[in-house]
Amino acid sequence: MATYKLEIQRKFGSLQHRFYPSADPAPDFAGAAKDVNGLLEGVDAALEKAKVSGADTVIFRQIGYSNRGELREAVRTGKY
């Protein structure tokens, strides 16, 4: 069971995210998406690359998510 952090910011009109293990230092933001759908694609790719499973927890806005669907909904409906 691993714990990851997901952070999202809007900068210069694009949405950027960073996804990393919570014990590691925060990397630079990446994935300049023009809309939320592009952002979700980038987040999904990061989750797949890290092989995040249901036993893992992703912390987004100080809430832990073990269900990928709930995390996607929180990202989709978030204000940026």
Side-chain angles (χ1 to χ4, degrees), residues 15-26:
L15 295 165
Q16 301 175 334
H17 72 280
R18 62 180 169 195
F19 179 78
Y20 58 98
S22 62
D24 292 353

Side-chain angles (χ1 to χ4, degrees), residues 24-36:
D24 292 353
D28 292 334
F29 282 91
K34 295 190 183 272
D35 60 12
V36 175

Side-chain angles (χ1 to χ4, degrees), residues 23-67:
D24 292 353
D28 292 334
F29 282 91
K34 295 190 183 272
D35 60 12
V36 175
N37 289 331
L39 175 66
L40 286 171
E41 289 175 9
V43 170
D44 284 340
L47 293 173
E48 290 297 322
K49 184 178 178 183
K51 298 180 182 173
V52 175
S53 69
D56 300 326
T57 302
V58 177
I59 299 170
F60 175 62
R61 293 188 170 174
Q62 301 177 345
I63 299 173
Y65 295 92
S66 295
N67 181 302

